[in-house]
Amino acid sequence: EDKVVQSPLSLVVHEGDTVTLNCSYEVTNFRSLLWYKQEKKAPTFLFMLTSSGIEKKSGRLSSILDKKELFSILNITATQTGDSAVYLCAVLNAGGTSYGKLTFGQGTILTVHP
Amino acid sequence: DGGITQSPKYLFRKEGQNVTLSCEQNLNHDAMYWYRQDPGQGLRLIYYSQIVNDFQKGDIAEGYSVSREKKESFPLTVTSAQKNPTAFYLCASSIGYGHYGYTFGSGTRLTVV
């Protein structure tokens, strides 16, 4: 069974701090790893990572994948109160009976205080 | 605008009743998915469908049923056999087999009273 574990489960910081969110995974046939941000309702897409060692960047957010060690990190620099959300990591299975199945971690609840 | 529409946004159900959650997409996506989210937890897969008239059980399918008679629609029925149905339900769709990620609906919050 595919498994995704995120840490920490919750994090409280002040504006301007830098945070690192962790995601480790076990999947039978790895296709890609995705990060989502969930504020109130629908998760919104942040990054899709397929290759090791290639950093993806969008503004203050960046992410990288290590396929040898089976983990990914999501960095947020100069945090703002608008970054407060649940951050979800998920892995996409690309083989066998689980083809196309996206398995999520528990999420990290990030709270940014002014 | 293309997207996924879930209805209703809030739903209350008495114990022992079946209830159906609607999910419609106009993105021409092949695959559709249902996830359940409990407070403080991630998303858990209930059912998914990659083509019309075909669907597969996810990790927590017991007490739920689905149909996929049209490409655009993937309704989820929460049956009386589901022992703890109070949760937030999210529908998603993807091109092909999710290689380009998923698009999510806004969710339905189901409460058993």
Side-chain angles (χ1 to χ4, degrees), chain A residues 21-78:
Chain A
L21 309 183
N22 304 299
C23 176
S24 64
Y25 63 89
E26 296 173 23
V27 62
T28 50
N29 297 283
F30 178 86
R31 167 80 184 194
S32 55
L33 184 145
L34 295 91
W35 284 96
Y36 285 88
K37 178 182 182 182
Q38 185 180 28
E39 293 180 81
K40 292 290 185 187
K41 294 182 178 179
T44 53
F45 173 78
L46 294 175
F47 297 110
M48 177 186 282
L49 302 156
T50 307
S51 302
S52 268
I54 300 175
E55 185 183 51
K56 293 234 175 164
K57 198 168 171 64
S58 176
R60 296 175 294 103
L61 278 67
S62 64
S63 183
I64 197 160
L65 173 68
D66 186 327
K67 289 170 72 173
K68 183 179 177 185
E69 300 297 330
L70 307 183
F71 80 87
S72 174
I73 60 171
L74 175 68
N75 279 321
I76 308 175
T77 59

